[in-house]
Amino acid sequence: AKAGQFVLMGVVKGDSERLALLRHKATGELLRLREGDIFDGWSLDSLESDRVHLSKGGLQEVIVLFQEDESG
């Protein structure tokens, strides 16, 4: 597994926790992950309103919230 496999589709704030909605590019699968969750070896280290921080082994990746291209 390498960086760049996920697209952050959104961050959902619940009463007691936040969920990151990540789409796995290879499979199209939509993942709902909490802080500390691990998927495909990647750990969701922290979750902000517009980005998530993932790590796997020595790799680190910050994924910023997907933005639609406003130019149409």
Side-chain angles (χ1 to χ4, degrees), residues 11-66:
V11 175
V12 179
K13 291 184 185 175
D15 292 335
S16 60
E17 63 187 7
R18 285 188 290 192
L19 289 175
L21 300 178
L22 291 168
R23 187 167 59 81
H24 193 272
K25 289 181 183 176
T27 64
E29 183 181 2
L30 191 61
L31 309 165
R32 292 170 178 82
L33 301 177
R34 297 175 183 84
E35 261 182 11
D37 281 356
I38 296 174
F39 175 79
D40 198 24
W42 288 92
S43 171
L44 179 56
D45 293 336
S46 66
L47 183 50
E48 299 170 36
S49 59
D50 68 340
R51 68 194 63 210
V52 296
H53 297 258
L54 300 175
S55 67
K56 179 176 184 173
L59 292 174
Q60 292 193 330
E61 183 176 7
V62 177
I63 304 177
V64 178
L65 187 62
F66 175 74

